Amino acid sequence: MSEHNVDLELDLRGLACPLPVVKASKSIKDVPVGSVMKVVATDPGALADFPAWAKTSGNEILDIERNGSEINIFIKRMK
Amino acid sequence: MDALSYLITGPMVYLSVGVLVFGMIYRIFRWLSVPASPIRLGIFPKTQGVSRTATVVRDTFLFPQVAEVNRRMWLMTVLFHFALLGVFVGHLRLLGRFPGILEAKMSESAHLAGGTMGVILLIGTLYFLFRRFKSPQKELSLPEDYFLLFLLFAIILLGDHLRLFGHIPFEVYREYAYGLLSFRPALPPALMDSPQKIVFVWHVFFANLLFVYLPFSKLVHFAGAVATNGIRRG
Amino acid sequence: MAVSISEQVRDLLKEKMNRQLLYYLDICARCGICKDACHIYRATGRVEHVPSYRAEVLRRVYNKYLAPLGRLRRDYGEVTEEDLQKMYEAAFTCTGCRRCMVYCPFGIDITWLISMEKAVLSSFGRVPEELSMLADAAVEKGKSIELYREIMAEQIKSYEPELRARTGMPEASIPIGEKGARVLYVALAGIHSILPAAIIFNLAGEDWTLSMFEAANYGYFSGETSKAAEIAKRIVDEAEALGVKEVVITECGHAFRVMKYLAGGWLKRDLPFRVRSIFQPFAEYLRDGRLKVHTQITEPVTYHDPCQLGRNGGVYEEPREIIKTICTDFREMTPNREKNWCCGGGGGLVAQTDLENYRAETGRLKAEQIKATGAKTVATPCENCRLQLALLNERYDLGVTITAVTDMLVEAVAVPAAKGETAEEISR
């Protein structure tokens, strides 16, 4: 398991397109700058979508873990 | 003849018909000079060749789909436009005789047919006008919409009066039109001395205004509707 | 001197003018017949929801600055900040279903005017945050895909045991980015869009490979055409690099239309492959006996034509053909095909989270239409439609199951799923 201090965990498993990224981008505004949000997704696309989204939205991906069909992504709010 | 009547039924007619013709040429040229987007906007299902043409013609002149969603508007619109076409054809008799038996037949039925179409046009114009007083058409309307309907109403009302109550033989109007065509515009004595003269002059005046304004108004839809209906089926 | 808003809009309109747009601006008679064709106006009765009224601000600028003799006319005012806001609300609350185009006596395409409004708005930076964000992320993904190729492939491969169980084929696989395949299948980001199709492709013995990209194009919804073209180009480039004969688009309305009818125009070239909707090969497999139906669905089923796939994409019959083969009680909605009511979710509206109540309200006609069929299952091949129908299902108490057509097909032809092994529900 990851050692990050998670401030918010978001369950995005099984969500239809394009909700995972939409929900994540909404929710990250609920945590203070500098804190970490963990999302749990099942979209294989999330593996590339979240890094691409983080780059364009100016946030940072700290870690991506694959756990069977589940994908845990740790995002640090940068601004 | 008084100067004002002369100006309206003579020089102004040339001027306004000139603006109409050149204005429309300009508008059509303007449409064609802008490049079309390569993106095809047509809806499905698509048809090809003759059946596509037939669909475009049907859509343009009968737009049957409108009857499904707004029967009254469809009925009034179809009646109005066909009456307009009928009245236009009727006015063509001013410019020359129709071939063979057609001329006699048209002459015979002119009062009834022309009168009926004139009344339909009047009702149609009022319907279109009153519709615009109601929401949401009210908010959708621009001053232009009311101005055009006012012009049409004036032209049609005066035209109906001449047709139904004027009692001036058709030959008199034809004589006036022939005068225009030979560039010697004059009101024939039978019209000049009639109490209908003033009605006729105003009828021509408003028609002139419509001719001048038409190429700069939404009424250019008469020239563009086939093209846009074609895009829908393209 | 600073240019006014009106002048900025004018210049953009001038620059982007095309013949179709000019016709539409010139000849709309403002008759308002379009209001009777619009599910939104029919549900709300509000003036700003009359389709032709959505182009009101644009038309005003055109009439004032660009129409012949427009300068002489004093009946149109300047465009203000409030007008831009009005334009924004008009442009981004329309689902782009183009039902009004079917009914307009002139055949005017309001969405063509709206796409111009979206171009104007994006030049002022006024685009719904979600749509713009999704489009940006998709463009970025296209640039950095090589970094993620391996890990994504691994993740997708982790579903192969389930695929083998459902096909009964020990060699069944999900090939990714394989050169020389006949078909490139473009799915959505979720496994729910990959696994069922993979089952069918394997059962039918198709020579296929999976795209690294998702079919959705949020640049198209946001009206940022350059981004939309960029997003579509990722798939075009991939298909060309792999040398496929055919690109098959998953169950998605706009993605099919974008790839088949818009991408070539945006990229200004003919695409060197055929584009088909997933239903076209699937219906062929059934017809040719490459798929065998072992279980038929007996509950009443109805089909919702997604606007972008049907009216705007021309795929009406194949999904029906598939449903009629696997269901014994198929019921049409009335009206259907090009006259079908929009569900209210298109145009990127489902991605705009603040529009949920608006979507529920404006989906009323769709909800009534579904109720009238008496169907227990609504099949529809568009993720946006399914999300919206799920909302209507809840708000109008429809008590129906909403499903993708491919999911139904899988149940009819694949090995029945063992307990606990089913593909994940998508309409959660």
Side-chain angles (χ1 to χ4, degrees):
Chain A
M1 276 321 269
S2 186
E3 69 288 0
H4 305 290
N5 285 323
V6 173
D7 296 281
L8 180 70
E9 187 166 328
L10 207 56
D11 180 3
L12 304 175
R13 285 176 295 184
L15 280 182
C17 124
L19 295 180
V21 175
V22 170
K23 294 215 165 167
S25 74
K26 283 261 169 214
S27 300
I28 198 145
K29 289 178 187 149
D30 298 339
V31 302
V33 174
S35 53
V36 177
M37 179 171 79
K38 174 187 173 187
V39 304
V40 184
T42 46
D43 277 4
L47 291 167
D49 287 341
F50 275 90
W53 162 73
K55 193 164 175 196
T56 53
S57 64
N59 292 297
E60 193 185 328
I61 302 283
L62 299 176
D63 216 346
I64 297 181
E65 292 175 352
R66 290 177 48 232
N67 178 14
S69 66
E70 280 180 11
I71 301 161
N72 300 325
I73 302 170
F74 298 88
I75 306 157
K76 185 173 181 186
R77 179 172 177 188
M78 300 302 285
K79 60 174 194 189
Chain B
M1 186 162 57
D2 62 296
L4 192 63
S5 300
Y6 171 75
L7 281 175
I8 289 171
T9 60
M12 191 182 173
V13 176
Y14 294 120
L15 189 75
S16 56
V17 171
V19 172
L20 174 67
V21 171
F22 288 104
M24 282 317 298
I25 291 173
Y26 165 67
R27 287 311 288 264
I28 291 167
F29 175 77
R30 191 167 177 266
W31 284 331
L32 299 182
S33 65
V34 178
S37 163
I39 289 172
R40 286 171 68 186
L41 301 180
I43 49 164
F44 292 84
K46 295 211 184 295
T47 49
Q48 303 290 330
V50 181
S51 90
R52 175 176 174 238
T53 311
T55 310
V56 171
V57 169
R58 182 202 67 188
D59 287 352
T60 309
F61 294 98
L62 292 173
F63 34 93
Q65 71 281 8
V66 175
E68 291 170 30
V69 291
N70 194 334
R71 191 164 291 272
R72 188 187 299 164
M73 181 65 177
W74 174 77
L75 192 68
M76 293 308 287
T77 309
V78 169
L79 283 175
F80 179 85
H81 284 84
F82 275 97
L84 205 60
L85 186 68
V87 166
F88 176 76
V89 172
H91 279 71
L92 286 181
R93 284 178 68 223
L94 292 167
L95 305 179
R97 291 177 172 278
F98 275 76
I101 182 124
L102 213 55
E103 176 66 29
K105 286 279 173 211
M106 283 178 79
S107 179
E108 248 171 62
S109 58
H111 193 71
L112 185 64
T116 308
M117 290 187 286
V119 171
I120 289 173
L121 287 178
L122 198 66
I123 295 170
T125 310
L126 288 173
Y127 171 74
F128 293 145
L129 189 65
F130 284 117
R131 230 182 133 251
R132 287 200 182 271
F133 294 153
K134 252 186 15 207
S135 185
Q137 287 80 234
K138 191 169 119 189
E139 293 85 350
L140 204 55
S141 299
L142 298 178
E144 169 187 331
D145 301 321
Y146 298 105
F147 178 60
L148 286 169
L149 284 168
F150 164 74
L151 275 184
L152 283 172
F153 180 76
I155 297 165
I156 294 163
L157 189 70
L158 297 168
D160 281 357
H161 176 86
L162 292 171
R163 164 50 68 203
L164 297 172
F165 312 108
H167 303 301
I168 290 177
F170 185 76
E171 300 310 321
V172 175
Y173 295 117
R174 189 175 262 165
E175 194 185 332
Y176 159 71
Y178 281 5
L180 270 177
L181 285 177
S182 54
F183 294 99
R184 281 188 296 271
L187 291 184
L191 192 52
M192 202 60 214
D193 306 329
S194 153
Q196 305 302 331
K197 185 196 107 177
I198 185 76
V199 180
F200 178 74
V201 171
W202 281 104
H203 177 68
V204 174
F205 174 74
F206 286 118
N208 285 339
L209 283 190
L210 183 70
F211 289 170
V212 170
Y213 189 53
L214 195 150
F216 308 101
S217 75
K218 67 174 186 182
L219 296 187
V220 297
H221 71 241
F222 89 89
V226 177
T228 52
N229 271 295
I231 293 169
R232 170 165 57 190
R233 301 294 170 187
Chain C
M1 203 182 82
V3 257
S4 70
I5 297 176
S6 309
E7 285 162 333
Q8 263 190 77
V9 178
R10 174 199 66 194
D11 294 343
L12 201 74
L13 191 52
K14 224 177 185 169
E15 180 199 322
K16 296 203 175 259
M17 187 57 79
N18 55 73
R19 193 178 300 162
Q20 292 94 327
L21 190 64
L22 190 61
Y23 274 132
Y24 295 159
L25 286 164
D26 280 341
I27 74 169
C28 174
R30 299 173 287 276
C31 69
I33 286 170
C34 45
K35 76 183 194 302
D36 303 306
C38 176
H39 66 286
I40 298 175
Y41 179 79
R42 291 276 290 258
T44 69
R46 288 167 59 181
V47 176
E48 61 267 37
H49 297 152
V50 175
S52 57
Y53 196 74
R54 290 184 189 268
E56 199 269 336
V57 178
L58 192 68
R59 189 180 293 121
R60 204 193 308 159
V61 175
Y62 171 76
N63 280 340
K64 185 177 175 76
Y65 291 101
L66 300 172
L69 300 193
R71 260 160 284 228
L72 300 179
R73 301 166 70 153
R74 306 215 172 272
D75 43 358
Y76 312 111
E78 289 290 320
V79 178
T80 60
E81 278 288 324
E82 290 79 66
D83 288 325
L84 281 183
Q85 188 52 33
K86 188 174 159 185
M87 198 192 252
Y88 178 92
E89 273 155 29
F92 291 106
T93 60
C94 168
T95 60
C97 77
R98 304 210 302 166
R99 194 174 192 268
C100 50
M101 187 182 186
V102 174
Y103 287 94
C104 170
F106 302 123
I108 291 173
D109 180 1
I110 296 293
T111 65
W112 195 240
L113 294 158
I114 287 182
S115 65
M116 184 64 220
E117 293 192 318
K118 287 184 176 178
V120 167
L121 291 162
S122 96
S123 82
F124 285 93
R126 290 178 182 235
V127 174
E129 208 188 330
E130 289 103 332
L131 298 181
S132 194
M133 179 265 301
L134 287 165
D136 287 338
V139 172
E140 179 56 36
K141 183 177 169 182
K143 290 181 194 152
S144 54
I145 192 68
E146 287 312 321
L147 298 174
Y148 306 102
R149 187 180 288 279
E150 287 309 311
I151 183 172
M152 273 177 73
E154 257 177 63
Q155 182 70 18
I156 291 165
K157 295 270 177 206
S158 74
Y159 287 91
E160 284 186 347
E162 189 179 344
L163 170 71
R164 288 176 186 141
R166 301 291 323 257
T167 53
M169 299 162 70
E171 74 288 2
S173 68
I174 304 176
I176 301 167
E178 212 136 74
K179 264 209 163 90
R182 196 185 76 79
V183 167
L184 177 69
Y185 171 60
V186 191
L188 297 169
I191 197 68
H192 65 273
S193 161
I194 298 171
L195 188 58
I199 294 172
I200 304 294
F201 281 133
N202 276 282
L203 285 173
E206 183 58 87
D207 175 15
W208 72 293
T209 188
L210 179 70
S211 168
M212 291 299 288
F213 300 105
E214 71 289 333
N217 191 324
Y218 284 88
Y220 164 69
F221 290 138
S222 72
E224 300 161 294
T225 313
S226 61
K227 286 185 199 169
E230 189 77 14
I231 293 165
K233 189 171 174 293
R234 305 172 313 168
I235 299 166
V236 172
D237 288 347
E238 187 188 28
E240 284 181 328
L242 298 176
V244 297
K245 301 268 181 303
E246 180 168 325
V247 168
V248 168
I249 305 288
T250 190
E251 296 201 26
C252 176
H254 79 282
F256 171 72
R257 179 174 180 220
V258 160
M259 196 47 71
K260 182 146 181 101
Y261 297 107
L262 306 177
W266 292 340
L267 302 173
K268 297 190 174 60
R269 62 192 166 104
D270 289 329
L271 307 183
F273 45 79
R274 176 162 75 153
V275 177
R276 290 206 291 172
S277 152
I278 192 169
F279 298 119
Q280 293 166 323
F282 283 8
E284 274 175 17
Y285 304 155
L286 281 171
R287 244 177 276 154
D288 300 346
R290 290 164 74 179
L291 293 175
K292 300 265 182 284
V293 177
H294 58 64
T295 313
Q296 280 194 311
I297 295 164
T298 51
E299 268 191 348
V301 174
T302 188
Y303 175 73
H304 165 68
D305 283 290
C307 305
Q308 302 299 353
L309 193 68
R311 177 158 49 237
N312 303 327
V315 180
Y316 292 123
E317 302 312 324
E318 292 89 345
R320 287 182 166 77
E321 192 185 328
I322 294 169
I323 293 171
K324 284 178 188 166
T325 312
I326 59 178
C327 303
T328 53
D329 185 0
F330 172 64
R331 303 181 182 183
E332 283 284 8
M333 291 190 200
T334 316
N336 55 60
R337 294 182 173 81
E338 74 270 26
K339 290 175 180 169
N340 186 37
W341 285 110
C342 172
C343 65
L349 266 59
V350 288
Q352 290 167 259
T353 38
D354 52 335
L355 291 181
E356 192 171 288
N357 287 330
Y358 173 81
R359 286 195 285 116
E361 183 187 3
T362 58
R364 201 189 77 214
L365 277 90
K366 183 86 260 164
E368 288 168 2
Q369 216 188 350
I370 292 173
K371 230 175 218 164
T373 64
K376 290 273 169 277
T377 299
V378 184
T380 192
C382 169
E383 204 115 311
N384 283 349
C385 294
R386 285 199 293 272
L387 281 167
Q388 166 72 355
L389 292 181
L391 177 72
L392 299 181
N393 198 13
E394 177 197 317
R395 298 280 183 103
Y396 292 88
D397 244 337
L398 300 177
V400 293
T401 306
I402 292 140
T403 178
V405 180
T406 307
D407 292 352
M408 290 171 69
L409 181 60
V410 165
E411 294 316 313
V413 300
V415 177
K419 273 227 165 348
E421 262 190 56
T422 45
E424 271 185 83
E425 285 295 316
I426 67 110
S427 49
R428 273 212 300 163

